[in-house]
Amino acid sequence: MPFRNSEGSLVFRPAGHGALLENLSNIDADIIFIKNIDNVIQNHIDIISLYKKALAGYLLEKQKWIFEILNQIDNKTIKEAELDGLVDNLKNELNIVVLEDFAMYTFENKITHIHKLLDRPIRVCGMVKNEGEPGGGPFWTLDNKGRFSLQIVESSQIDVENSAQARIFSNATHFNPVDLVCSIKDYHGNKFDLNKFVDHQSGFIVAKNKNGIDVKAYELPGLWNGSMADWITIFIEVPLITFNPVKTVNDLLKPAHQPQ
């Protein structure tokens, strides 16, 4: 039943950080940095900024290569004999796997498929070693169409009653500190319609308490998981020193947050 307050009015609540996708779409920039608001530190700024630059540099390097391929497709300068090497590069450099029946496509359809795979927003995500912090991490996923992709998976998306899923999640080696560098413009310099790259089936129900009453609420697909599900995704390990969350006042007592 819909939840109402004591005056009989419907109660609404924020729809999770997936609602920030509209804010991201409104930014007019070539490169956008995203970081969790609770990841703060007053020390080691030089090291942290160095790795921010490294993530951005890696994105620009891969973006340049992607744009070159897309322009070659537009100019019809790619030869059929080059496709096998290109497909290998997609897998090795961008973790993009073509469809299983790709070899059966005509040359024109192969080019169209590669263009679709590359003409997408790009994100390079910094990941730290897993030390048991609550939250998500980087995983290979398989969708209902049999397609593999790299995704950031939050703990709320895991079926803990499924022993196989629980085992995979508990054995995860890396954690998502929300340290992203994003490109939301295509090779013509136009902004992507980011809503076209959302997995709208990945919204989820959360349990909350309102005035002592347990309620359930729907949240939109998370900004860096479901909302970016169809982006080109690259994971890079960054040092743990770049991740210093402050979720409670006691976290300020940790060495990373002490004056030096």
Side-chain angles (χ1 to χ4, degrees):
M1 298 293 293
F3 182 69
R4 298 177 182 272
N5 61 21
S6 58
E7 298 176 351
S9 300
L10 289 171
V11 174
F12 296 90
R13 65 178 304 277
H17 50 67
L20 297 174
L21 185 68
E22 183 176 346
N23 300 42
L24 186 63
S25 297
N26 290 335
I27 297 174
D28 185 16
D30 295 317
I31 300 295
I32 299 171
F33 293 81
I34 299 176
K35 186 178 76 165
N36 243 359
I37 195 170
D38 60 15
N39 184 7
V40 296
I41 192 171
Q42 61 180 343
N43 305 321
H44 312 298
I45 300 300
D46 290 344
I47 296 176
I48 292 171
S49 61
L50 174 64
Y51 281 94
K52 295 282 189 198
K53 294 175 183 178
L55 293 176
Y58 197 84
L59 183 146
L60 290 171
E61 179 182 287
K62 298 307 175 187
Q63 181 194 65
K64 180 181 178 182
W65 180 74
I66 290 169
F67 286 3
E68 287 175 352
I69 298 299
L70 290 170
N71 279 308
Q72 288 177 30
I73 291 175
D74 282 358
N75 296 327
K76 303 185 185 311
T77 57
I78 293 182
K79 309 299 182 186
E80 189 164 7
E82 300 172 342
L83 285 186
D84 287 344
L86 179 54
V87 169
D88 287 341
N89 282 335
L90 290 181
K91 182 178 180 179
N92 297 330
E93 299 294 328
L94 300 176
N95 302 297
I96 295 176
V97 181
V98 299
L99 297 175
E100 286 188 3
D101 57 351
F102 180 80
M104 301 173 63
Y105 286 18
T106 64
F107 174 65
E108 290 75 16
N109 286 339
K110 287 179 179 178
I111 289 296
T112 299
H113 183 55
I114 290 173
H115 189 283
K116 183 178 180 181
L117 291 175
L118 290 178
D119 193 21
R120 295 183 287 159
I122 310 167
R123 59 174 174 165
V124 174
C125 315
M127 296 290 163
V128 298
K129 288 289 183 64
N130 187 0
E131 291 200 334
E133 291 282 351
F139 291 90
W140 278 105
T141 66
L142 180 66
D143 67 15
N144 55 12
K145 294 183 179 180
R147 297 174 300 190
F148 285 96
S149 64
L150 288 178
Q151 301 290 340
I152 296 172
V153 180
E154 297 292 334
S155 55
S156 57
Q157 297 175 280
I158 302 297
D159 180 5
V160 294
E161 302 298 325
N162 182 313
S163 59
Q165 285 194 28
R167 182 174 62 255
I168 292 171
F169 197 72
S170 64
N171 290 332
T173 60
H174 287 76
F175 173 82
N176 168 38
V178 188
D179 194 1
L180 288 75
V181 185
C182 305
S183 167
I184 64 170
K185 291 185 178 181
D186 65 18
Y187 65 112
H188 296 301
N190 302 313
K191 288 200 293 186
F192 287 105
D193 178 357
L194 299 183
N195 286 303
K196 292 182 178 179
F197 303 90
V198 177
D199 177 5
H200 294 284
Q201 301 301 313
S202 62
F204 52 94
I205 296 173
V206 294
K208 297 293 179 179
N209 187 284
K210 180 70 174 180
N211 299 331
I213 301 174
D214 291 331
V215 298
K216 292 181 178 179
Y218 175 78
E219 291 196 357
L220 293 168
L223 181 62
W224 44 80
N225 36 316
S227 287
M228 297 182 177
D230 204 26
W231 289 36
I232 293 173
T233 298
I234 300 169
F235 294 140
I236 294 181
E237 182 180 321
V238 293
L240 195 59
I241 197 172
T242 63
F243 178 54
N244 299 278
V246 178
K247 297 184 180 295
T248 71
V249 67
N250 289 334
D251 287 333
L252 294 172
L253 300 177
K254 295 178 179 179
H257 299 289
Q258 297 303 301
Q260 290 186 340

